[in-house]
Amino acid sequence: EAGVTQFPSHSVIEKGQTVTLRCDPISGHDNLYWYRRVMGKEIKFLLHFVKESKQDESGMPNNRFLAERTGGTYSTLKVQPAELEDSGVYFCASSQAHPWANVLTFGAGSRLTVL
Amino acid sequence: ILNVEQSPQSLHVQEGDSTNFTCSFPSSNFYALHWYRWETAKSPEALFVMTLNGDEKKKGQISATLNTKEGYSYLYIKGSQPEDSATYLCASSGSARQLTFGSGTQLTVLP
């Protein structure tokens, strides 16, 4: 079974530019999550999709971040325009059931560096 | 406790030593406690998910316990090996219905 894949693995952009991160969850996983780890701090929740619907986007920092999951398959996270404080590792994870008591399978993350 | 807290932040041990880390989490509205093992540039790997007070789980030389009444979990590694070097993350899910992570314990096992 293929795992959660994320692209790109590393992106370096200048402040003000746009970046789009992509996540392909495990096939059949309805739940898809975005998390990020900034500056060596704890991993923080961004948002949760159930199929194509946003179930919880309470962790999205501001309106420069836009997540989509058209068709309920892969998801994209766009940052526009990027700021210095957006640098970090963006993780995607998926699960069949809600993770209160079920395991999330994580991707390896997309490292974003904003100069 | 409002956040998930892990201690120590980092730890160096010699090969063959046994070690343990602590994860403290809010005990109110608790649903589950997750442990993950993460090597930089790789995917965090799920180790355990525990839900019941008194739960104990084991995977090879790694084990974990859970106390939901006082809000803590311990992760034990018996006979550490260099390949156990990683960051160990715990995460709690509560009424917010999302995982809240601690900042991790970075373990280095010296040969």
Side-chain angles (χ1 to χ4, degrees):
Chain A
E1 171 181 82
V4 176
T5 57
Q6 293 187 244
F7 181 83
S9 58
H10 191 188
S11 180
V12 181
I13 61 173
E14 293 189 348
K15 176 183 172 181
Q17 291 186 319
T18 298
V19 64
T20 300
L21 310 177
R22 172 171 169 144
C23 170
D24 286 81
I26 291 175
S27 178
H29 282 193
D30 288 340
N31 292 277
L32 185 149
Y33 308 83
W34 283 98
Y35 286 83
R36 75 172 179 177
R37 191 180 198 223
V38 175
M39 293 292 288
K41 296 184 178 178
E42 64 272 14
I43 297 173
K44 288 200 170 180
F45 169 81
L46 294 177
L47 86 160
H48 169 210
F49 284 99
V50 177
K51 297 185 180 179
E52 67 275 8
S53 299
K54 291 177 184 175
Q55 186 74 13
D56 180 354
E57 51 184 332
S58 61
M60 294 288 264
N62 52 61
N63 59 10
R64 295 185 293 103
F65 289 76
L66 175 64
E68 294 180 323
R69 193 184 182 195
T70 307
T73 54
Y74 71 91
S75 175
T76 58
L77 179 65
K78 179 191 286 188
V79 184
Q80 178 182 30
E83 298 289 343
L84 299 178
E85 63 264 26
D86 300 332
S87 296
V89 181
Y90 290 77
F91 290 102
C92 175
S94 71
S95 71
Q96 283 184 310
H98 198 286
W100 298 0
N102 285 288
V103 173
L104 266 70
T105 302
F106 279 84
S110 291
R111 179 175 294 277
L112 174 63
T113 302
V114 183
L115 302 177
Chain B
I1 296 175
L2 299 178
N3 298 315
V4 176
E5 298 172 358
Q6 292 187 246
S7 64
Q9 186 174 18
S10 65
L11 186 61
H12 289 72
V13 301
Q14 289 296 134
E15 182 176 356
D17 287 351
S18 294
T19 187
N20 64 84
F21 327 129
T22 303
C23 173
S24 301
F25 55 88
S27 55
S28 59
N29 299 314
F30 169 84
Y31 287 99
L33 193 285
H34 299 236
W35 280 101
Y36 286 86
R37 178 181 180 279
W38 179 43
E39 293 182 64
T40 304
K42 294 186 179 180
S43 306
E45 172 198 355
L47 293 174
F48 307 111
V49 179
M50 297 180 288
T51 57
L52 299 176
N53 185 47
D55 259 355
E56 292 188 26
K57 296 215 172 177
K58 187 175 181 181
K59 185 177 182 179
Q61 297 299 99
I62 304 176
S63 60
T65 61
L66 179 66
N67 183 321
T68 61
K69 293 184 178 180
E70 296 182 40
Y72 65 84
S73 175
Y74 293 136
L75 186 80
Y76 302 91
I77 302 178
K78 182 180 178 181
S80 305
Q81 298 299 308
E83 54 266 31
D84 293 324
S85 298
T87 297
Y88 290 82
L89 301 164
C90 78
S92 170
S93 57
S95 59
R97 304 197 297 171
Q98 63 198 219
L99 290 183
T100 300
F101 281 85
S103 54
T105 293
Q106 187 172 358
L107 173 68
T108 303
V109 182
L110 304 169

